């Protein structure tokens, strides 16, 4: 069963080989293969897998104490647990580092994109270039010729270029006086560097989108932090997103002030489109607070552009650093000069002085009207068309129906009759003026203080709506007048027509009658009709009858008797 080999160490000496008494004896035992059960080869000491195991575990003593082998198993399990924990910890650490690095990179990218929005070149200039007599690729020079000179242009140039700072501004004036055109011209001279311009909207969500487009701010909608289990900005209202955009803008303005030394310029057009409700007032208050802070620190200059007076009323309540810039019609001399230059430049003709004088008498110095007339072949025909359009608009909005009107339209007729009463008051005031047309300065429109206008109408809430639909206008000094010269001509034609005073008086009487019927209550006792009678008994405090009263109805006498 065992094979053994005996080896003796023999040492050769100088006289031949001989055994050494101290020779080492090395015994090597080699196990010999044997045949186990089922005729399988096995090595001694290693039982076959099919042999019966020992019912008693060799690793457990009689006292139940674990041996060294199971201790080795426990340490292996602990090592595997530690290895798994370290692998998980390393994965979480790498994920956290990548997520943190992305967050830092994304915040830097947001500020970088917003800074790029204020670099030279602006989409507003590209869009406006087609409507102007200039090319979007032409050189930006301060001396670029314009066919309509304005006295306010120089100050607007200083504001947009950053020379005027420490205040924020409200441009207020009627529709079509050229407020937006002057702002775009000022931007064009500096190639839009450091300026962002956008239009307001009544819907706060659309306002939010337009602000984000102007500032190149995505409101974290392009953030992919969720891939790293990093929660992005919580969903909130449009007003909160606008606040976040202003927070980012403030950081960009701080950087720019250190590098350039000039404030950013934020221009918001058409502020009158905001609704005069809770949301609109909250947005206006938010923007004004930022405008006040930025003006005080010279970080940014906010320019509001509005056609309606109510925006000024709201801003006036908390304004400290606000300046008002009223933008009105062109004076007579500049209006005629603009028409003459335009016709000479684009039509190669110079209109006669009498033609220019007649045009101005009909439409005044409103820039939008002058632009339409200058491009028309028949200038006088376009003047008549403009006057008729304004008259039609006034009658469509404020036509009164007289005493035949139904009670269902009473609310609309209150609105219309109040406008007619105010228009008649302006026409009557015009008669009291010494002159309504100055040969040098042009038209002198009659005007009434705002509080007096409300007293004349006996309503305080209608005047804001009239201003919004461009029938009447309220200037920065709270004076009410016709929205334009063609509209004043419409007032004059309507209020001086035959029978207008009687028609207006009958309308007012009908409105009063309908209101009186609404306040009157009619009581009818049906038992009295057809000969019915009521009998009432009067008693004293002891219940004794003191008297009787009969209550009946006498038949109506025939009026023919």
């Amino acid at each position: 069963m065992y094979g053994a080999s005996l080896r003796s160490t023999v040492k050769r000496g100088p006289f031949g080989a001989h055994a050494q008494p101290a020779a080492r004896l090395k015994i090597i035992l080699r196990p010999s293969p044997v045949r186990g059960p089922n005729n399988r080869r096995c090595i001694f000491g290693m039982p076959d897998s099919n042999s019966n195991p020992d019912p008693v575990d060799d690793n457990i003593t009689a006292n139940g104490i674990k041996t060294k082998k199971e201790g080795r198993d426990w340490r292996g399990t602990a090592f595997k647990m530690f290895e798994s924990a370290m692998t998980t910890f390393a994965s979480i650490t790498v994920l956290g580092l990548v997520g943190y690095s992305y967050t830092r990179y994304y915040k830097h990218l947001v500020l970088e994109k917003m800074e790029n929005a204020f670099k030279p070149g602006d989409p507003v200039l590209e869009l406006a270039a087609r409507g102007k007599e200039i090319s979007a690729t032409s050189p930006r020079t301060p001396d670029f010729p314009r066919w309509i000179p304005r006295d306010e242009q120089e100050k607007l140039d200083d504001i947009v270029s950053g020379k005027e700072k420490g205040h924020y501004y409200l441009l207020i004036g009627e529709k079509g006086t050229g407020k937006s055109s002057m702002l775009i011209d000022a931007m064009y001279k500096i190639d839009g560097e450091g300026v962002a311009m956008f239009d307001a909207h009544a819907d706060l969500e659309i306002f939010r989108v337009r602000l984000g487009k102007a500032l190149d701010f995505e409101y974290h909608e392009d953030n992919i932090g969720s891939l790293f289990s990093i929660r992005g900005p919580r969903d909130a209202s449009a007003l909160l997103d606008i606040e976040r955009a202003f927070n980012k803008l403030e950081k960009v303005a701080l950087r720019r002030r250190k590098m350039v030394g000039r404030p950013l310029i934020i221009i918001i057009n058409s502020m009158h489109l905001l609704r005069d409700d809770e949301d609109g007032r909250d947005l206006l208050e938010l923007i004004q607070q930022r405008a006040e802070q930025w003006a005080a620190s010279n970080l940014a200059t906010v320019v509001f552009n509005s056609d309606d007076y109510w925006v000024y009323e709201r801003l006036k309540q908390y304004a400290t650093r606000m300046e008002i810039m009223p933008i009105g019609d062109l004076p007579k001399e500049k209006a005629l000069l603009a028409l003459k230059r335009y016709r000479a430049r684009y039509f190669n003709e110079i209109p006669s002085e009498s033609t220019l004088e007649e045009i101005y008498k009909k439409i005044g110095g409103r820039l939008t009207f002058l632009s339409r007339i200058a491009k028309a072949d028949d200038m006088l025909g376009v003047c008549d068309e403009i006057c008729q359009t304004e008259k039609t608009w006034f009658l469509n909005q404020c036509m009164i129906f007289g005493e035949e009107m139904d009670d269902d339209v009473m609310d609309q007729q209150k609105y219309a009759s109040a406008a007619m009463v105010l228009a008649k008051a302006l026409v009557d005031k015009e008669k009291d003026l010494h002159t309504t047309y100055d040969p040098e300065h042009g038209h002198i429109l009659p005007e009434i203080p705002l509080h007096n206008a409300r007293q004349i109408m006996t309503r305080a809430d209608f005047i804001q709506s009239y201003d919004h639909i461009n029938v009447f206008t309220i200037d920065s000094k709270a004076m009410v007048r016709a929205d334009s010269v063609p509209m004043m001509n419409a007032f004059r034609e309507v209020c001086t027509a035959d029978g207008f005073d009687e028609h207006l008086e009958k309308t007012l009487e009908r409105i009063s009658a309908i209101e009186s019927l609404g306040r009157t209550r009619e009581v009818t006792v049906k038992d009295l009709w057809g000969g019915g009678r009521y009998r009432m008994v009067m008693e004293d405090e002891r219940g004794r009858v003191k008297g009787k009263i009969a209550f009946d109805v006498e038949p109506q006498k025939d009026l023919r008797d």
Side-chain angles (χ1 to χ4, degrees), residues 190-224:
I190 61 173
D191 197 13
E193 196 272 332
V195 184
M197 182 179 185
F198 66 98
D199 292 329
H201 195 272
D203 192 338
L204 296 187
E205 291 291 342
I206 298 179
F207 187 96
R208 164 188 173 274
V209 172
R210 291 180 178 179
L211 175 62
K213 180 181 177 182
L215 301 180
D216 200 6
F217 180 57
E218 299 291 339
Y219 299 100
H220 299 277
E221 294 173 353
D222 57 345
N223 187 286
I224 57 174

Side-chain angles (χ1 to χ4, degrees), residues 329 361-364 366 369 386-387 390-391 394 422-433 436 443-448 470-473 480-496:
D329 293 346
K361 284 184 177 180
K362 289 184 176 182
I363 57 98
R366 184 62 52 86
F369 297 154
I386 291 173
C387 293
E390 293 296 300
K391 180 181 178 180
F394 173 60
L422 184 57
K424 186 175 183 301
L426 289 175
V427 173
D428 294 340
K429 187 174 181 61
E430 186 181 39
K431 299 176 182 178
D432 299 335
L433 296 177
T436 59
H443 292 277
I444 302 175
L445 297 180
E447 54 188 14
I448 299 175
N470 302 313
V471 173
F472 300 94
T473 188
V480 180
R481 61 174 181 269
D483 185 75
S484 62
V485 172
M487 185 61 71
M488 188 63 204
N489 295 337
F491 291 170
R492 195 181 300 110
E493 292 180 13
V494 172
C495 295
T496 57

Side-chain angles (χ1 to χ4, degrees), residues 1-2 31-37 39-46:
M1 181 176 181
Y2 291 94
S32 300
V34 294
R35 298 291 178 175
N39 199 24
R40 292 189 177 183
R41 298 178 64 184
C42 65
I43 299 176
F44 178 77
M46 299 179 64

Side-chain angles (χ1 to χ4, degrees), residues 396-452:
N396 289 341
Q397 299 297 318
C398 306
M399 184 61 186
I400 53 178
F401 297 159
E403 63 180 353
E404 295 83 8
M405 72 174 181
D406 191 77
D407 57 352
D408 293 336
V409 298
M410 187 185 67
D411 291 338
Q412 190 276 337
Q413 284 297 288
K414 285 183 179 179
Y415 179 84
S417 60
M420 285 294 181
V421 170
L422 184 57
K424 186 175 183 301
L426 289 175
V427 173
D428 294 340
K429 187 174 181 61
E430 186 181 39
K431 299 176 182 178
D432 299 335
L433 296 177
H434 299 289
T435 179
T436 59
Y437 184 81
D438 191 302
E440 295 183 1
H441 300 89
H443 292 277
I444 302 175
L445 297 180
E447 54 188 14
I448 299 175
L450 178 59
H451 61 279
N452 288 344

Side-chain angles (χ1 to χ4, degrees), residues 182-195:
M182 287 193 293
L183 289 171
I184 292 176
D185 287 344
M187 290 177 59
Y188 184 82
K189 294 175 182 178
I190 61 173
D191 197 13
E193 196 272 332
V195 184

Side-chain angles (χ1 to χ4, degrees), residues 225-492:
S226 57
L227 296 178
F228 310 102
S229 300
I230 299 175
R231 184 181 179 185
R234 62 186 179 90
D235 296 333
S237 62
L239 201 63
L240 185 56
D241 281 341
I242 294 171
E243 174 70 13
R244 290 171 178 162
F246 286 155
N247 289 336
K248 296 294 183 181
L249 179 62
E250 194 170 275
K251 296 181 180 179
V252 174
L254 286 170
R255 288 185 183 182
R256 178 181 173 83
R257 189 177 64 175
K258 294 179 181 178
M259 295 184 298
V260 181
R262 289 184 284 110
L264 295 175
I265 310 298
I266 312 298
I267 301 174
I268 307 178
N269 266 331
S270 304
M271 288 296 294
H272 58 277
L273 295 181
L274 298 178
R275 295 190 183 97
D276 189 13
D277 56 7
E278 184 177 356
D279 291 337
R281 289 190 290 268
D282 289 343
L283 176 59
L284 197 60
E285 181 181 352
L286 170 64
I287 300 175
Q288 186 181 17
Q289 287 177 346
R290 291 289 184 166
E292 290 279 351
Q293 295 173 4
W294 294 339
S297 57
N298 292 330
L299 287 180
T301 300
V302 181
V303 180
F304 299 105
N305 187 2
S306 174
D307 294 351
D308 293 351
Y309 178 77
W310 77 268
V311 177
Y312 168 72
E313 281 188 332
R314 296 297 176 186
L315 294 176
K316 178 65 176 177
Q317 298 178 14
Y318 308 105
T320 303
R321 295 177 175 270
M322 183 177 68
E323 287 192 9
I324 310 298
M325 290 189 62
I327 309 296
D329 293 346
L330 290 174
K332 178 181 177 182
E333 182 181 358
K334 291 185 179 294
L336 300 183
L337 180 62
L339 279 176
K340 187 182 299 184
R341 285 182 177 178
Y342 192 94
R343 300 295 292 189
R345 181 176 178 183
Y346 295 99
F347 290 88
N348 294 323
E349 67 175 12
I350 299 178
S352 62
E353 293 296 331
S354 60
T355 302
L356 295 176
E357 185 76 18
E358 187 175 358
I359 290 173
Y360 183 79
K361 284 184 177 180
K362 289 184 176 182
I363 57 98
R366 184 62 52 86
L367 187 60
T368 183
F369 297 154
L370 293 175
S371 178
R372 289 177 54 186
I373 294 170
K375 298 175 183 179
D377 295 332
D378 184 8
M379 294 189 293
L380 294 177
V382 174
C383 290
D384 296 335
E385 181 181 349
I386 291 173
C387 293
Q388 183 61 35
T389 301
E390 293 296 300
K391 180 181 178 180
T392 303
W393 173 256
F394 173 60
L395 294 177
N396 289 341
Q397 299 297 318
C398 306
M399 184 61 186
I400 53 178
F401 297 159
E403 63 180 353
E404 295 83 8
M405 72 174 181
D406 191 77
D407 57 352
D408 293 336
V409 298
M410 187 185 67
D411 291 338
Q412 190 276 337
Q413 284 297 288
K414 285 183 179 179
Y415 179 84
S417 60
M420 285 294 181
V421 170
L422 184 57
K424 186 175 183 301
L426 289 175
V427 173
D428 294 340
K429 187 174 181 61
E430 186 181 39
K431 299 176 182 178
D432 299 335
L433 296 177
H434 299 289
T435 179
T436 59
Y437 184 81
D438 191 302
E440 295 183 1
H441 300 89
H443 292 277
I444 302 175
L445 297 180
E447 54 188 14
I448 299 175
L450 178 59
H451 61 279
N452 288 344
R454 287 171 172 166
Q455 183 180 5
I456 290 172
M457 294 185 299
T458 67
R459 295 294 296 261
D461 53 342
F462 287 160
I463 189 65
Q464 179 176 326
S465 179
Y466 299 150
D467 189 16
H468 190 68
I469 64 174
N470 302 313
V471 173
F472 300 94
T473 188
I474 310 172
D475 61 13
S476 59
K477 299 179 180 179
M479 300 298 291
V480 180
R481 61 174 181 269
D483 185 75
S484 62
V485 172
M487 185 61 71
M488 188 63 204
N489 295 337
F491 291 170
R492 195 181 300 110

